[in-house]
Amino acid sequence: MSQVLDDSLEAGREAARKHAWRDAYELLQKADADALLGAEDLAHLGEAAWWTGRLEEAIDFRERAYAAYVEAREPRRAALLAMMISGDHAKKGAVSVAGGWLSRATRLLADQPEGIEHGHLALARGTAAVMMGELKPAQEDLARAHELATRFADRNLEAMAMVFEGTVLVMSGQVNEGLALLDEATAAAVSGELEPLATGMIYCVTIHSCQTLGDCGRAAEWTTAANRWCDRLDVSGFPGACRVHRAEIMRLQGDWDRAEEQAVQACDELGGYFNLITSAGFYEIGEIRRRRGDFAEAEEAYRKASELGHPTGSEPGVSLLRLAQGKVDSAAAAIKRELANEGTDPLSRARLLPAQVEIGLAAGELARARAAAAELEEIGDQYQVDGRRTPHLEGTLQLALGQIRLAERDFEGARSAVKAARSTWEKVGAPYETAQARMLLGIAYRGEGDEHSARDEIAAAKATFERLGAALDVQRAAELLGEAGTARTFVFTDMVDSTKLVEALGEEKWQKLLKWHDRLLRERIEEAGGEVIKQTGDGYFAAFGSPGAAVDAAIAIQRALDEEPIAPDVRIGVHSGKAFHTEDDYTGQGVHVAARIGALAGGGEILVSTASLDGGRRFRLSEPRPETLKGFSEQVEVAAVEWR
């Protein structure tokens, strides 16, 4: 029996030397059950448990190894274990416990002659400072770690110090210098000359830095290399981190099913061990589900990400979710609050600012949207790679500029911006972002009067959204194409107190104002995909393929009128229903209900039947109220769209 146990121990040690972690775990655990493991064996068992996803067990084995080294009066080895345990607890979010273990390592090395262990201690302090955003002290500690690694010829420590030095340089705006260090360190990892822990850490830091910077191509290349390495070693990522990075790249490349699968698996593997990576996994799940219109599941994923300490509290995803739900005030407040955080670094702000543009435009805050785009442009210029903005920053910026110029009715400028965005995202290989640009390009073409090109672009975007399963975007594209269902939504507009305006302005000025009003309303209706059926005195009767498109047009009309000091007050009624379609007109109950609702509206008001909006998704509504319409026995519930 003794011989069998000895064979298990030796086989376990050999497996650990070969980094065959699954075999090492089984064999060394068997030997541990018979109390055969010394300090070094326990450290190897902890390593094997860590690489095979048994993260809580890994901490237990490392703590036992630490105690054994202390008892054996080997302070240097004990200090190295204390640093590893400190890192384990830091990853769980137990900051005080992590600090306590790092203090133990410091005390153990205090009276020891300077050696490589002091370099690892400097690395631990430097990485902790990086996580806190304290870049200057981080640079000092990392430089010391690098110097000691070089002096004592420790290639693993040298490469780890180098990769963190690179990410600090990137965060400081010295992008090309930082990327050079990241590439050099990661090339060492690719070559296989480093230990697995150093290799995994370097991959993780490099990919994260590239993704934060928006250098999509470099991030994808290193992610592919890291995935090959994980597969070759038969490990569960680093742990889990590789899967999260893989999920982020897959989402960008349009493989949403596999991206979600990878993110879910990463979160399952990590559990509560590495909170920062787990939170990133849940955030990815939220991003995919939000785009698919699965609001409840997206909400849950974002909540978990926030609880686990996601760096931006699950923003901008949560704010964009609120916007999609029609909770514009909540979305605006959340994104403003996050951007008001003075501790947010520029690259993190760059992830938030595009949402500020979109939400600001939805809330009618054009100046705020412009300011966000201007700041995004400054950041893009500050963090250039080889004299150019990174693809993600460039594509995002041009898309934001296109949205703003459409709101300004600068169709030529919008066309130029979204064409640049489309070209950038096509080169990246990001189908969703490309489709977003194509849909905006279609709206710009429509504004220029090129309806044929507009429909081509919007139809192409819709096809991509359908393939991806982007439900809300499919709905929006269908609205723009007038394809959103068989029922029609009818809109009636009417000037309020037009007689008084004629008296106040005089006939000549009134005629000019009336022409401007007619042109404005017709343009807004047609831009939203509606059809002007006829003029009705001082207003219009229009039909739309969906209620969402109709309300979009109504909001655009009221906002445009609100910007002009002498514009007339216009009331608007919206209702979806059945009607008989003649050659150039609609008649029937649906039309009459819409007209009656329009007559109930006040000046500057958009009044809509709540049943038409299915609960009002995408729009802010007042409290609904029942109304009795002339000629109808049953009451209709209506609400005002809060468009200001």
Side-chain angles (χ1 to χ4, degrees):
M1 175 64 94
S2 175
Q3 182 63 44
V4 172
L5 294 176
D6 287 343
D7 287 347
S8 294
L9 177 58
E10 286 304 319
R13 289 170 175 170
E14 181 62 22
R17 283 192 290 270
K18 292 180 177 178
H19 306 146
W21 299 120
R22 299 183 197 283
D23 292 341
Y25 174 81
E26 292 177 4
L27 292 164
L28 291 174
Q29 190 187 46
K30 187 183 297 183
D32 184 47
D34 292 280
L36 295 178
L37 302 189
E40 186 174 3
D41 296 322
L42 285 168
H44 285 152
L45 181 52
E47 189 85 346
W50 195 83
W51 283 107
T52 54
R54 300 171 174 89
L55 305 173
E56 291 298 334
E57 288 184 49
I59 294 176
D60 290 339
F61 291 135
R62 285 170 174 171
E63 287 179 349
R64 288 173 58 195
Y66 166 82
Y69 278 129
V70 169
E71 185 178 356
R73 298 190 178 183
E74 295 188 52
R76 292 180 181 274
R77 290 196 165 193
L80 289 173
L81 260 297
M83 290 176 222
M84 295 190 76
I85 297 166
S86 172
D88 289 337
H89 285 291
K91 293 177 179 68
K92 293 177 63 177
V95 178
S96 298
V97 178
W101 279 100
L102 199 58
S103 295
R104 285 186 178 186
T106 303
R107 177 176 50 78
L108 286 165
L109 294 176
D111 298 327
Q112 297 296 313
E114 196 170 65
I116 196 60
E117 296 82 8
H118 294 83
H120 283 280
L121 183 60
L123 178 69
R125 289 172 174 160
T127 56
V130 171
M131 297 298 291
M132 297 295 292
E134 299 169 352
L135 301 187
K136 186 172 182 186
Q139 282 182 314
E140 294 172 357
D141 283 320
L142 294 171
R144 172 167 165 73
H146 199 155
E147 186 273 321
L148 289 170
T150 303
R151 192 198 314 172
F152 292 101
D154 188 322
R155 188 70 183 99
N156 290 285
L157 178 59
E158 182 182 5
M160 286 190 290
M162 186 183 298
V163 80
F164 278 105
E165 285 178 309
T167 202
V168 168
L169 287 173
V170 168
M171 293 169 69
S172 303
Q174 301 175 64
V175 177
N176 289 327
E177 297 89 337
L179 289 176
L181 288 181
L182 290 172
D183 286 345
E184 183 179 350
T186 316
V190 170
S191 69
E193 62 187 87
L194 305 180
E195 291 294 314
L197 184 64
T199 300
M201 182 180 292
I202 288 164
Y203 274 135
C204 190
V205 172
T206 295
I207 295 166
H208 176 74
S209 297
C210 293
Q211 287 178 323
T212 301
L213 186 61
D215 193 344
C216 311
R218 190 182 253 104
E221 289 173 9
W222 286 127
T223 299
T224 300
N227 290 335
R228 284 200 302 265
W229 172 75
C230 288
D231 293 340
R232 189 167 60 247
L233 264 68
D234 189 25
V235 296
S236 304
F238 180 63
C242 289
R243 292 197 190 280
V244 174
H245 292 315
R246 188 181 301 184
E248 292 170 345
I249 295 298
M250 285 178 171
R251 172 171 61 82
L252 185 66
Q253 294 172 342
D255 193 351
W256 289 4
D257 288 340
R258 291 181 61 209
E260 184 174 1
E261 178 186 303
Q262 288 292 316
V264 168
Q265 191 169 344
C267 292
D268 289 344
E269 288 174 356
L270 287 162
Y273 174 71
F274 198 161
N275 286 358
L276 185 63
I277 299 297
T278 310
S279 73
F282 279 117
Y283 185 82
E284 274 303 304
I285 295 168
E287 287 290 273
I288 294 167
R289 292 175 178 174
R290 173 176 63 81
R291 286 168 169 80
R292 284 177 165 158
D294 298 333
F295 290 162
E297 293 185 0
E299 182 101 39
E300 177 66 11
Y302 286 138
R303 182 188 64 78
K304 290 179 179 178
S306 183
E307 288 176 353
L308 290 166
H310 190 269
T312 57
S314 289
E315 292 292 352
V318 169
S319 291
L320 292 172
L321 176 62
R322 297 285 174 264
L323 179 64
Q325 293 169 323
K327 302 173 183 177
V328 182
D329 288 339
S330 177
I335 198 67
K336 288 175 192 173
R337 186 168 55 247
E338 191 63 37
L339 282 166
N341 184 356
E342 295 181 358
T344 307
D345 64 272
L347 288 174
S348 295
R349 289 183 67 82
R351 297 174 71 90
L352 301 169
L353 291 166
Q356 175 69 287
V357 171
E358 187 173 348
I359 294 166
L361 292 174
E365 298 178 333
L366 186 56
R368 189 178 294 276
R370 287 176 180 142
E375 184 181 351
L376 183 62
E377 187 169 13
E378 289 177 6
I379 294 171
D381 290 339
Q382 180 184 354
Y383 289 88
Q384 291 187 0
V385 178
D386 297 329
R388 293 185 178 182
R389 299 187 195 111
T390 62
H392 196 284
L393 285 174
E394 174 67 6
T396 303
L397 171 62
Q398 295 302 331
L399 204 66
L401 292 174
Q403 290 172 311
I404 291 169
R405 288 168 185 167
L406 284 174
E408 296 170 335
R409 298 185 56 72
D410 175 9
F411 297 117
E412 183 178 351
R415 170 168 50 82
S416 175
V418 294
K419 270 192 169 182
R422 184 184 68 177
S423 176
T424 299
W425 289 121
E426 282 177 339
K427 290 176 183 175
V428 168
Y432 178 74
E433 288 75 8
T434 301
Q436 284 184 309
R438 296 197 74 169
M439 186 161 67
L440 292 179
L441 182 58
I443 297 172
Y445 281 145
R446 178 169 286 167
E448 292 182 310
D450 185 356
E451 181 63 22
H452 180 77
S453 296
R455 294 188 68 83
D456 284 348
E457 290 295 331
I458 296 169
K462 180 171 174 279
T464 299
F465 292 141
E466 287 173 336
R467 178 175 61 80
L468 293 171
L472 298 183
D473 298 285
V474 170
Q475 177 184 327
R476 174 62 175 145
E479 290 170 358
L480 291 169
L481 292 169
E483 298 174 351
T486 57
R488 301 295 285 172
T489 300
F490 302 107
V491 172
F492 280 87
T493 77
D494 186 41
M495 283 192 197
V496 178
D497 293 330
S498 58
T499 304
K500 291 181 180 179
L501 266 176
V502 175
E503 293 174 356
L505 294 174
E507 188 63 32
E508 184 178 349
K509 288 184 178 179
W510 163 250
Q511 289 299 325
K512 288 183 179 179
L513 179 63
L514 188 60
K515 287 181 180 178
W516 173 82
H517 160 274
D518 292 351
R519 184 176 65 254
L520 171 71
L521 267 64
R522 183 178 289 275
E523 287 176 349
R524 296 301 188 272
I525 289 166
E526 291 176 350
E527 285 167 9
E531 176 189 5
V532 173
I533 306 304
K534 60 185 174 182
Q535 281 191 273
T536 55
D538 295 334
Y540 280 106
F541 167 38
F544 291 81
S546 73
V551 177
D552 282 339
I555 290 172
I557 289 168
Q558 295 291 21
R559 287 180 177 170
L561 292 170
D562 192 52
E563 292 178 356
E564 293 296 325
I566 63 167
D569 283 335
V570 170
R571 57 189 170 200
I572 303 176
V574 181
H575 175 69
S576 296
K578 295 181 180 179
F580 296 103
H581 187 201
T582 62
E583 185 176 344
D584 56 358
D585 201 357
Y586 285 90
T587 61
Q589 181 172 309
V591 176
H592 297 308
V593 172
R596 301 289 190 274
I597 291 173
L600 287 174
E605 187 175 38
I606 303 169
L607 203 59
V608 58
S609 60
T610 57
S612 298
L613 293 182
D614 188 23
R617 186 156 55 87
R618 290 210 299 124
F619 304 104
R620 288 181 292 177
L621 300 176
S622 68
E623 284 298 315
R625 66 180 190 267
E627 290 284 355
T628 300
L629 305 181
K630 183 179 178 180
F632 294 91
S633 57
E634 294 184 3
Q635 289 187 319
V636 175
E637 187 179 75
V638 298
V641 177
E642 298 178 356
W643 56 268
R644 288 183 172 84

